Amino acid sequence: MRETTWVEQYYLEVDKEQRKEILDEGIEEEGMTPENELRTKLWEVRYSRQAKETAEVDHYIRGWMSMYYLKHSSKGFFSKKNYNKEKDQILKDWGVDIAREYGEAGEKVLYQELCNMTRLYLKLCKDDKSYSSILLGIGRMKDSSLVNKIAKDVYTLAYEIPQITNTVDVFRIFTKAATDTFYAVFPKERGVLEALIEGTAR
C-alpha cells in the first residue's frame, strides 16, 4: 500500500497548527521549492491576523461565506460597486493574485488549498448540530438529508452564484476544487451533486 506523502497529508489536515507543522517539516525535507514557497505564502494569507482584526480568522472560510453576498450585491446598478468590492475581497482572502504569479504551478497549489478549505467546510457542516438540526436546533437530519443540504450549498456557491454574477471564469478553480472535494468526501453520494449540476434534481 502506497504511503501518503507529506503534501497529501498537508491538504487532508484541517487544523491550522498541524498543517504548519507538516509544511515546515516538508520544506525541511525537500527545500523551498516554488510550490512550497507559495504554500507558505498562502498559509500566511489564510491564517495570519490582518490589520484591524481582533481575533484569528480563517480567511479562506471567510471567502467561502462571502460568496453568498455576491448573489445579492450583484443586483441593481447601484450595487455594482459593492459587488466588485466583495468579489475582490474574496480573491484577496484566497490569495489568488499571489498564486497567479507562479503560473501553472500556482494554479495547482491554489486548487489544493481551495480543496482543503472545502474539506474543512464540509467537516464543519457535518459536526455542527445547528446546521444538521431539523428545526431550531431540535432533532437531527438523516444522513441522506444532511448530504443533500451540503450538496445544495456547494452547488449554490460553486455553480449558481458564478453563473448569476458572470464570474464563472473568475471562480473556475474554486468550482473544480469544491466539486472534487465533495466527491472525495461523499463518494457514494456524488450523484446528489451531479444531479444539481446537470439540472435534473427534483
Side-chain angles (χ1 to χ4, degrees):
M1 185 175 179
R2 184 178 68 86
E3 290 187 5
T4 304
T5 67
W6 76 264
V7 173
E8 291 170 331
Q9 291 176 343
Y10 179 66
Y11 289 112
L12 288 173
E13 179 59 60
V14 294
D15 179 80
K16 176 183 73 172
E17 299 303 334
Q18 289 292 326
R19 298 191 76 215
K20 188 63 166 65
E21 186 176 322
I22 294 170
L23 178 59
D24 289 343
E25 290 177 355
I27 292 173
E28 184 177 346
E29 176 183 322
E30 64 179 38
M32 187 61 82
T33 63
E35 290 83 1
N36 290 339
E37 181 179 79
L38 179 55
R39 289 186 181 104
T40 301
K41 289 182 179 180
L42 292 185
W43 192 96
E44 294 292 335
V45 166
R46 181 169 179 176
Y47 300 115
S48 293
R49 187 175 299 184
Q50 299 177 3
K52 297 182 180 180
E53 290 181 346
T54 58
E56 292 185 351
V57 176
D58 183 331
H59 297 105
Y60 266 58
I61 291 295
R62 183 173 71 180
W64 173 287
M65 300 307 296
S66 296
M67 286 291 291
Y68 285 107
Y69 297 113
L70 285 186
K71 183 176 181 180
H72 303 289
S73 61
S74 64
K75 297 178 180 179
F77 176 79
F78 294 103
S79 298
K80 186 174 182 180
K81 182 177 180 181
N82 187 46
Y83 158 75
N84 286 328
K85 181 179 179 181
E86 201 71 52
K87 173 176 66 68
D88 291 345
Q89 183 61 53
I90 293 170
L91 298 178
K92 181 180 179 182
D93 279 344
W94 292 349
V96 173
D97 286 343
I98 296 173
R100 283 174 179 160
E101 297 175 3
Y102 290 78
E104 290 185 10
E107 184 171 306
K108 179 180 179 180
V109 173
L110 177 62
Y111 163 80
Q112 291 171 320
E113 195 66 32
L114 290 170
C115 283
N116 179 268
M117 170 194 70
T118 306
R119 182 175 293 276
L120 173 57
Y121 181 79
L122 299 185
K123 181 180 185 302
L124 293 173
C125 290
K126 290 192 294 182
D127 295 346
D128 186 2
K129 292 182 180 179
S130 61
Y131 184 89
S132 61
S133 66
I134 298 174
L135 180 65
L136 300 176
I138 301 174
R140 181 177 171 83
M141 294 179 182
K142 295 180 180 179
D143 288 345
S144 59
S145 297
L146 179 59
V147 173
N148 286 341
K149 183 177 180 180
I150 293 173
K152 288 179 181 177
D153 272 358
V154 171
Y155 172 76
T156 297
L157 268 67
Y159 288 89
E160 183 180 9
I161 291 176
Q163 289 170 2
I164 291 174
T165 58
N166 295 315
T167 52
V168 172
D169 187 60
V170 173
F171 292 110
R172 171 180 54 85
I173 300 175
F174 164 63
T175 297
K176 177 173 172 53
T179 304
D180 290 348
T181 304
F182 180 90
Y183 292 160
V185 174
F186 301 110
K188 294 181 180 179
E189 296 88 358
R190 65 178 291 153
V192 178
L193 180 57
E194 287 178 337
L196 290 168
I197 295 170
E198 295 168 4
T200 58
R202 299 185 184 279

